[in-house]
């Protein structure tokens, strides 16, 4: 109910924009995007349609500014993987294909990163 209203009120688009800027607000935007996509098919579709993948996957690959502490890095990693899990589970059609294609880019580097995370 509230999640769907958040998505329809362009809340996810704002979170994507904030994450793209990579400033102090991006960890909070990432956290909110995680909660908005969790168990919500509508928001997962919106996230992919509004070009959230090119913003999300650099966080997944640990590219860009470093986090302040190991605890923050761990929390950020959990939110990113939770969003990806939600997208894989709840997206349909071309949206899920776009998510899965991300793992095949650049000689499967994202799949290798996923294996690294699993080993940790």
């Amino acid at each position: 109910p509230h999640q769907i209203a958040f998505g329809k009120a362009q809340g996810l688009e704002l979170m994507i924009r904030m994450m793209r800027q990579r400033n102090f607000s991006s960890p909070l935007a990432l956290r909110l995007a995680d909660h908005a996509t969790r168990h919500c098919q509508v928001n997962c579709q919106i996230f992919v349609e509004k070009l959230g993948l090119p913003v999300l996957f650099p966080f997944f690959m640990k590219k860009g500014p470093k986090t302040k502490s190991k605890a923050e890095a761990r929390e950020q990693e959990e939110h990113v993987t939770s969003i990806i899990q939600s997208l894989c589970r709840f997206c349909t059609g071309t949206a899920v294909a776009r998510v899965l294609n991300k793992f095949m880019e650049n000689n499967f580097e994202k799949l290798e990163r996923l294996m690294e995370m699993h080993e940790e």
Side-chain angles (χ1 to χ4, degrees), residues 103-115:
F103 285 95
M104 292 187 273
E105 289 177 354
N106 299 328
N107 207 17
F108 297 94
E109 71 175 357
K110 290 168 185 76
L111 202 53
E112 287 178 22
R113 171 78 182 109
L114 191 61
M115 296 304 288

Side-chain angles (χ1 to χ4, degrees), residues 5-65:
F6 181 76
K8 288 184 177 174
Q10 298 178 334
L12 271 173
E13 291 174 63
L14 178 61
M15 296 307 106
I16 292 167
R17 216 173 300 139
M18 290 168 68
M19 286 163 44
R20 186 176 287 127
Q21 291 174 352
R22 291 290 191 130
N23 59 17
F24 71 95
S25 65
S26 58
L28 300 171
L30 184 67
R31 187 170 161 187
L32 194 52
D34 176 18
H35 291 292
T37 55
R38 198 173 292 166
H39 305 296
C40 186
Q41 182 177 8
V42 174
N43 284 348
C44 289
Q45 292 286 131
I46 290 171
F47 190 87
V48 175
E49 288 167 11
K50 300 302 178 186
L51 305 177
L53 297 179
V55 177
L56 180 67
F57 276 92
F59 282 100
F60 180 70
M61 296 303 291
K62 290 187 172 178
K63 293 180 179 171

